[in-house]
């Protein structure tokens, strides 16, 4: 095997991820809400599976010596693209317990849920794209501290916004 682990491990993850992503349809107490955003939920599942599959494929190509890009160093750029895509679909979600910004305030009020997800979806989309571009055109490995700050803002801003909308 190589430094990333056995090749079958990520393939197993990809295969096992699909049923896990279907679980909320059956176990969420608010499962009827999924009918209102089923197309977006399908797209969210597809984007997540596509991202994990892309990483798996690139790692296999690198391990086989076919592709010489350092995949591990470039995964954050793909992660930012993933966040941008998820932000695009976040806007259309309905209150549920598994997908979205789930805080006491968003789960308490559908209006707070809608406003928070509209704000968060736009934030994640634009910051995801900007983060991916910034990461791809970085000049050095000094990006890691900025990565943490960037992701921290993408997490904290929706929480603060949800609380402000609730008040």
């Amino acid at each position: 095997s190589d430094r990333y682990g056995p090749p079958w491990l990520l393939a197993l993850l990809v295969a096992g991820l699909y049923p896990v992503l279907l679980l909320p349809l059956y176990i969420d107490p608010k499962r009827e809400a999924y009918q209102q955003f089923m197309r977006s939920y399908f797209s969210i599942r597809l984007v997540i599976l596509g991202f994990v599959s892309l990483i798996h494929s690139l790692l296999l190509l690198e391990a086989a010596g076919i592709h010489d890009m350092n995949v591990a160093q470039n995964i954050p750029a793909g992660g930012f693209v993933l966040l941008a895509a998820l932000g695009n679909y976040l806007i259309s979600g309905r209150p549920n317990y598994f997908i979205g910004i789930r805080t006491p305030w968003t789960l308490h009020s559908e209006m707070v849920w809608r406003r928070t997800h509209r704000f968060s979806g736009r934030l994640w989309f634009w910051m995801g794209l900007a983060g991916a571009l910034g990461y791809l055109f970085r000049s050095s490995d000094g990006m890691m501290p900025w990565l943490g700050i960037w992701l921290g803002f993408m997490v904290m801003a929706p929480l603060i916004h949800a609380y402000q909308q609730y008040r």
Side-chain angles (χ1 to χ4, degrees):
S1 190
D2 61 17
R3 66 180 186 237
Y4 298 114
W8 55 265
L9 186 62
L10 201 50
L12 182 65
L13 173 67
V14 172
L17 189 57
Y18 186 74
V20 169
L21 291 172
L22 288 176
L23 270 178
L25 293 173
Y26 302 102
I27 65 173
D28 192 335
K30 294 186 176 197
R31 64 181 148 266
E32 66 278 353
Y34 290 87
Q35 296 307 317
Q36 297 174 342
F37 70 104
M38 188 57 75
R39 288 180 66 186
S40 291
Y41 183 57
F42 173 80
S43 297
I44 288 169
R45 292 189 329 249
L46 188 65
V47 165
I48 291 171
L49 286 170
F51 176 70
V52 174
S53 297
L54 178 65
I55 290 172
H56 180 227
S57 301
L58 291 174
L59 288 173
L60 287 176
L61 289 172
E62 185 179 38
I66 299 170
H67 195 288
D68 64 349
M69 174 176 52
N70 187 337
V71 177
Q73 281 187 334
N74 292 295
I75 286 176
F80 278 122
V81 172
L82 173 68
L83 288 173
L86 292 176
N88 189 43
Y89 297 114
L90 197 60
I91 294 171
S92 61
R94 297 292 180 263
N96 67 85
Y97 290 106
F98 285 90
I99 308 294
I101 312 297
R102 297 164 323 275
T103 69
W105 315 294
T106 57
L107 293 173
H108 180 74
S109 165
E110 190 164 338
M111 179 197 66
V112 173
W113 176 281
R114 270 194 323 271
R115 288 181 179 175
T116 299
H117 283 77
R118 191 176 316 124
F119 168 80
S120 302
R122 290 178 182 142
L123 176 76
W124 282 25
F125 178 79
W126 291 110
M127 287 192 75
L129 285 182
L133 290 172
Y135 204 85
L136 288 175
F137 297 112
R138 70 190 186 278
S139 60
S140 70
D141 289 331
M143 276 297 281
M144 286 314 266
W146 290 108
L147 179 66
I149 292 168
W150 201 262
L151 292 175
F153 183 77
M154 290 178 75
V155 169
M156 292 307 297
L159 299 179
I160 294 166
H161 186 268
Y163 178 71
Q164 287 176 337
Q165 291 299 309
Y166 179 74
R167 289 185 337 144

